[in-house]
Amino acid sequence: MPATPADEPSGHHEDAARKAHEAGGSSTGDPIQDGSTGWRELPPSTEDWLTEDEWVAWLASIHDEEDPGLAPGEEPDPEDPPPPTRKTRSPRPGQGSRAPVGVPRAVPSGHRGPGEPGSAHRVPGDSPGPAGAFATGQPLDVAPGGAALHGLAEYAAGPGDRFAGASDDELTGMICALDRTEAAACALKHAAVAELIRRRPEPGCEPEGPAQMPATYDEFTEDELRDALAETRDGAARILGLAHDLEVKLPGTRAAFRAGTLRHSKAEIIARATANLDPAEARAAEALVLDRAGRLTPGGLRAAIACAVLEVAPDKARKRREDAQQDARVQRWREDSGNAALMGRELPPAEVLAADQRITWWARQLKKAGLEGDMDVLRARAYLDLLLGKDSRLTVALAADQDSEDREPASSTGDTHDSGPHDEGGAWPSEPDGDADDPGDCEPGEPEDGDPGSDVDDPGDNGFQAPHPAGPHVPPTAGVLPAGFAGHINLTTPLAALLGLAERPGELSGLGPVDPALARDLAGAAARNPKTTWCLTVTDEHGHAIGHGCARPAPRSREPTQQARPGPPGGHDPPGGPGSDPPPRFTFIGSGDHGPPGGYGSWRLSTGISGQPDLIITVDPIAQETCDHRLEARGHDPGVKLRHLAQIRHATCVAPTCRRPAKQCDFEHNIPYEAGGRSCLCNGGPTCRHDHRLKQHPKWKVEQITPGTLRRTAPSGRQYTTEPTRYPI
């Protein structure tokens, strides 16, 4: 490194330059190498230029540095000890006054500042520990992933990887940094796989495009990769496919993956969602989500990129859905626990929703009958009941009868006494067992008398039907719940798409984004049901709800109306297909009423179906940045309207990474009502039971910094914010 002669003791550079010139050195034009200019780059040396006597003389010639004291306006630290009495230093030759060769000499330090050793004020990132730079807002907390970041984290881990001296905030910062490093390493692996594709092109496929990638690779490239990684063929194909898409179609995702902002699972989510798009469309879709993809959960990112794809290429999204129905299948496999799994794939959305609601309905019947387990367990039991035509309520009735028989005293012959009707707690009489020899008692498809297995003592096969406390037994397949799309769901679709003015995606609760064609079909099917309720939500440019209103029937005119006839159950999926009644013709106009002050007016919605009245929708504002407390409840209970608007503003739990639907959450006062908190949109939102308990923990803190934005502070001091739900726009 060049240095001026004044930077070192006088005479050394001049002597070196003079000797080089006398040796016949010539000018080279480089001031560093040209000895004639007085400069020359010297190789590093471990030899000291000062002798022992020169070093002692230099120490004797310098004076003690004065303590600079306090800076202007700086108060003395009360915890600092009094400054010691300074003594004049005198060199003692030969007694440690000279540092050993190769050991850096100590530089006299000034006043201790915040974060320096011994200071009472510790500043994250400026602390003496190696983990300080990983604290919130410090350089390594936001540095991209890579080998350098991994090396610094490895050093900060210390002996035994115990991270000694690291605060909770710094430890969390290292976890995030290592997550970025892991993602960056995985991205580099996929870049290497992409290079393998370039070297193994399919014959006749020349490199093309900015990435210089062939359209496809040699058929045995998958085998080469799966042997190297001990992977399955499908696994190797997924790695090759992701590597190809990142290079050709998703440069933004590739850059975020390489920097560690997106981990491998999220890069795969984006690649799968854009699989049927061309490079230009894929780049447009990824651009709609990359600004927030890193902080979204996998489920949130899956919904966001699906909505982006539907917005960029709605026709391709519809065609992909329709083509994939040809790949419908049912899969089964063994669970790691030893149990089994059964799953249907690529099924029609409307039928899946109807089936899901039917499972939930039967699970509630099982719960009422006294079966043990939470709703997940009961839904699984209901799922099998509906598939097998069984009724698990019988097990409860049989167990009750068995318990009653066990409690009866035995007779002298050993026979049990038939107690007849129950005296206590039984509102139904016992019925005699069916005749197992009567083939008419066998269920359809079961073996009759004489066939193998006909003599098995199974109450489900011998016609026994125990009475049920809720009334006469009705099997779950007897049509108690009407077939078809007739349950309670929330379908959200842009008004322009509903009116046929634009192709915008919708959203179906429980499924996620749906293409415009399916959204219109489902809305048309819902319009034919007179029990369907309609709501209107006004959003801003980000998709945040800023106004909402629920429809009510318009005042009826005196003219008689013709009642619409309900359609037959089942039929086309989604409902409203060929052979059904004419589709609805939605219209949306102003009602002539200005609506509430500060709101968004009053509107008239018509489905165009004969016999159904028009609907009036008055739109109230939803507090986002400020609140005028117009909807504040007087007591603790928020009431129906306030609770509904809070659920519209946040469609899921307000916790940063929770996706439990708001309708399954409680209205949580941010400042408790008992402590003076309002029952208002500015002091509450939907919160699940788990996050409610977290909020009560003394080490956690939740703030509602604006009516629509909440901030959660973890025990480490790190903060995470939740924005309102983004609806399709």
Side-chain angles (χ1 to χ4, degrees), residues 18 31 35 71 77 189 358 370 390 445 485 621 646 658 693 700 723:
R18 184 175 62 254
D77 192 338
K189 180 187 78 171
R358 191 180 185 91
K390 294 176 58 178
F485 191 68
C658 182
R693 292 190 296 106
W700 289 80
E723 68 171 355

Side-chain angles (χ1 to χ4, degrees), residues 268-506:
E268 274 194 323
I269 289 173
I270 296 176
R272 285 198 300 266
T274 57
N276 64 322
L277 305 185
D278 60 41
E281 293 168 338
R283 291 167 189 159
E286 70 169 359
L288 296 176
V289 301
L290 282 180
D291 61 331
R292 63 187 193 278
R295 65 178 185 269
L296 290 175
T297 64
L301 177 59
R302 189 175 291 106
I305 188 61
C307 188
V309 169
L310 291 169
E311 183 176 341
V312 170
D315 292 337
K316 286 188 176 180
R318 176 183 57 82
K319 186 176 186 303
R320 181 182 185 182
R321 171 176 58 83
E322 294 174 348
D323 292 345
Q325 289 184 358
Q326 305 302 317
D327 192 30
R329 60 198 182 276
V330 174
Q331 296 177 330
R332 71 177 187 275
W333 66 91
R334 181 187 181 277
E335 299 279 18
D336 294 337
S337 63
N339 293 309
L342 186 67
M343 175 177 61
R345 303 290 301 275
E346 301 294 353
L347 306 177
E351 291 186 271
V352 167
L353 286 172
D356 181 72
Q357 294 167 33
R358 191 180 185 91
I359 290 171
T360 300
W361 164 79
W362 186 244
R364 292 195 179 108
Q365 305 306 312
L366 298 180
K367 185 177 182 68
K368 291 178 181 178
L371 267 74
E372 297 181 353
D374 57 20
M375 280 302 294
D376 285 335
V377 173
L378 294 177
R379 276 172 49 87
R381 184 70 261 166
Y383 174 56
L384 294 177
D385 277 5
L386 293 169
L387 284 175
L388 301 175
K390 294 176 58 178
D391 186 356
S392 293
R393 299 180 300 179
L394 300 180
T395 60
V396 178
L398 289 174
D401 288 344
Q402 185 64 40
D403 290 343
S404 176
E405 292 176 359
D406 291 343
R407 287 193 297 268
E408 293 294 338
S411 63
S412 58
T413 59
D415 296 332
T416 56
H417 176 67
D418 187 2
S419 62
H422 295 282
D423 295 330
E424 296 181 2
W428 68 95
S430 299
E431 294 184 2
D433 292 348
D435 186 359
D437 294 332
D438 185 358
D441 291 333
C442 296
E443 296 290 338
E446 294 292 332
E448 296 184 355
D449 187 20
D451 292 337
S454 64
D455 57 347
V456 177
D457 186 14
D458 186 349
D461 292 336
N462 61 17
F464 174 76
Q465 296 292 337
H468 188 262
H473 163 63
V474 180
T477 55
V480 176
L481 185 70
F485 191 68
H488 179 76
I489 65 161
N490 285 329
L491 171 66
T492 304
T493 181
L495 182 62
L498 184 66
L499 300 177
L501 302 177
E503 292 295 301
R504 296 289 185 270

Side-chain angles (χ1 to χ4, degrees), residues 2-85:
T4 62
D7 289 335
E8 296 293 343
S10 176
H12 286 284
H13 278 294
E14 291 87 338
D15 293 343
R18 184 175 62 254
K19 292 178 181 179
H21 181 70
E22 292 174 355
S26 59
S27 177
T28 63
D30 185 355
I32 300 295
Q33 303 295 336
D34 191 352
S36 63
T37 63
W39 297 83
R40 188 169 66 89
E41 184 177 20
L42 297 177
S45 173
T46 58
E47 297 182 1
D48 286 327
W49 290 346
L50 294 178
T51 65
E52 184 71 21
D53 294 338
E54 291 173 334
W55 168 249
V56 173
W58 179 78
L59 288 177
S61 66
I62 64 174
H63 301 284
D64 287 340
E65 294 184 2
E66 295 294 331
D67 190 336
L70 300 176
E74 182 180 3
E75 295 294 332
D77 192 338
E79 298 182 12
D80 277 348
T85 303

Side-chain angles (χ1 to χ4, degrees), residues 565-638:
R565 295 175 299 174
H572 185 267
D573 187 273
S580 60
D581 295 334
R585 298 179 61 86
F586 293 96
T587 58
F588 188 77
I589 59 175
S591 67
D593 188 359
H594 294 292
Y600 296 90
S602 181
W603 305 86
R604 180 181 291 266
L605 174 66
S606 175
T607 61
I609 296 178
S610 176
Q612 293 192 11
D614 290 351
L615 302 170
I616 301 298
I617 305 177
T618 301
V619 183
D620 290 296
I622 295 180
Q624 292 287 6
E625 298 297 330
T626 60
C627 183
D628 58 9
H629 315 300
R630 69 173 65 191
L631 299 174
E632 180 181 0
R634 295 182 179 180
H636 179 276
D637 187 0

Side-chain angles (χ1 to χ4, degrees), residues 157-337:
D161 295 338
R162 296 302 303 270
F163 302 91
S167 66
D168 289 353
D169 178 38
E170 294 163 352
L171 182 62
T172 304
M174 278 189 280
I175 293 173
C176 296
L178 291 169
D179 185 72
R180 296 194 301 274
T181 299
E182 180 184 19
C186 187
L188 186 59
K189 180 187 78 171
H190 282 78
V193 173
E195 181 59 29
L196 179 65
I197 294 175
R198 293 187 183 96
R199 300 182 183 190
R200 304 289 189 274
E202 179 76 14
C205 291
E206 297 297 329
E208 57 186 10
Q212 287 296 289
M213 292 285 289
T216 184
Y217 47 81
D218 182 77
E219 64 171 322
F220 298 119
T221 308
E222 292 178 4
D223 299 272
E224 186 175 3
L225 189 61
R226 71 169 180 159
D227 289 346
L229 299 179
E231 218 358 313
T232 64
R233 180 171 295 174
D234 289 341
R238 285 194 299 269
I239 296 173
L240 288 163
L242 178 59
H244 187 276
D245 287 347
L246 290 173
E247 295 289 333
V248 176
K249 298 168 59 174
L250 301 169
T253 302
R254 179 185 184 276
F257 191 19
R258 189 69 178 89
T261 305
L262 294 180
R263 64 176 67 97
H264 175 253
S265 60
K266 293 185 177 182
E268 274 194 323
I269 289 173
I270 296 176
R272 285 198 300 266
T274 57
N276 64 322
L277 305 185
D278 60 41
E281 293 168 338
R283 291 167 189 159
E286 70 169 359
L288 296 176
V289 301
L290 282 180
D291 61 331
R292 63 187 193 278
R295 65 178 185 269
L296 290 175
T297 64
L301 177 59
R302 189 175 291 106
I305 188 61
C307 188
V309 169
L310 291 169
E311 183 176 341
V312 170
D315 292 337
K316 286 188 176 180
R318 176 183 57 82
K319 186 176 186 303
R320 181 182 185 182
R321 171 176 58 83
E322 294 174 348
D323 292 345
Q325 289 184 358
Q326 305 302 317
D327 192 30
R329 60 198 182 276
V330 174
Q331 296 177 330
R332 71 177 187 275
W333 66 91
R334 181 187 181 277
E335 299 279 18
D336 294 337
S337 63

